[in-house]
Amino acid sequence: MSVSVLYAGNLNYWPIYETELGAALSELGIKANLSYDLAPAEVDYIVYAPNGPVQDFTPYTRAKAVLSLWAGAEKVVANPTLTQPYTRMVDNGLSEGMTEWVTGHVLRHHLGMDDYIHRTDPVWHRAAPPLARDRTVGVLGLGALGATAAQALCALNFNVCGWSRTQKDIAGVDCYSADDGLHTVLSRAEILVLLLPLTPATENLLNAERLAWLPKGAVVINPGRGPLIDDAALLAALDSEQVGHATLDVFRIEPLPDDDPYWAHPNVTVTPHIASDTRPASAARVIAENIRRGEAGEPLLHLVDRAVGY
């Protein structure tokens, strides 16, 4: 088979994707005209990132699918020019990267490592942390990334409870849904991890009322989406010590502005959206498999339901 594939991602990464996508397509026996510069009428598939050059999909009348390199779909599902099937990126590289970041920061807060790393006094403080089996971690969002992270935390012996829009069944995780379930998870979570998609229903989900449901001094870790949190409410909760610390990787505006109060708050850790990034080698295989499926008339992987936003 032969197809024309437009790379419409960040052009700085084109040399890498040219190599990785070419190899992945070749392994599947797909002959591809792969380029970042194709006439719209020639394009069969668009390999896409929201920060790439394509914002208007109208000219791509032949395109069979738009295959995203990003896990999130909120930046494109409302685009009225997008009428083609749209898939989001789900691959092992994303899941592994997110799990490593999440478990690293959960362990950091569980063990109280900041107290030792940032200490300047010479006093011999001895305070052993509780064991993981005596600490409850809540995970909001039990999709591909959330479920993998929750299972890794279970393997470390944490008590893990999780909440999602629809009821899930994950071995070792106390799974909840609906409003009552959200209250249950938040009221138990000494460390809370946010891995929900951003939709109208989840924006500002963690507001003042729900932050008050957390145990006093709980830690909030957000590698999901910045607008999941009401920022003013979180800052107030930090100032009142209702929340003991917040480790944030995602924000409403990125890069985070220099004058944003999160930078200066003593109980906030800012990381620059590094919790999970698309790895070209593994992402290319996902893209190639979806092109194979599209050509074979098989269902596409990770097709976005625009009605729910992911």
Side-chain angles (χ1 to χ4, degrees), residues 138-150:
V139 179
L140 301 189
L142 296 174
L145 298 178
T148 303

Side-chain angles (χ1 to χ4, degrees), residues 236-258:
L238 286 160
D239 289 342
S240 71
E241 299 183 352
Q242 167 60 18
V243 173
H245 197 100
T247 291
L248 310 174
D249 185 61
V250 287
F251 306 91
R252 292 174 187 271
I253 300 173
E254 295 184 4
L256 190 65
D258 293 350

Side-chain angles (χ1 to χ4, degrees), residues 15 17 26 38 47 85 116 118 147 156-157 169 202 225 274 283 292 308:
Y17 277 104
S26 180
L38 293 173
V47 178
Y116 300 96
H118 300 302
L156 291 170
N157 216 28
D169 183 8
T202 62
R225 293 289 181 264
I274 56 170
R292 185 201 67 76
V308 298

Side-chain angles (χ1 to χ4, degrees), residues 90-100 144-145 148-149 276:
V90 177
D91 85 299
N92 290 339
L94 280 173
S95 297
E96 290 173 26
M98 180 63 78
T99 296
E100 290 170 10
L145 298 178
T148 303
S276 186

Side-chain angles (χ1 to χ4, degrees), residues 12-85:
N12 291 326
Y13 298 115
W14 162 244
I16 301 171
Y17 277 104
E18 181 181 24
T19 299
E20 297 293 350
L21 275 171
L25 289 164
S26 180
E27 285 180 11
L28 294 179
I30 301 171
K31 183 179 179 182
N33 176 21
L34 176 62
S35 176
Y36 65 87
D37 185 18
L38 293 173
E42 301 175 7
V43 174
D44 294 306
Y45 297 92
I46 302 173
V47 178
Y48 173 77
N51 63 351
V54 174
Q55 302 300 322
D56 182 2
F57 296 93
T58 306
Y60 298 93
T61 55
R62 177 170 149 177
K64 301 172 185 177
V66 178
L67 311 173
S68 181
L69 294 168
W70 288 19
E74 69 275 3
K75 292 185 180 296
V76 71
V77 289
N79 186 333
T81 72
L82 178 64
T83 57
Q84 300 88 345

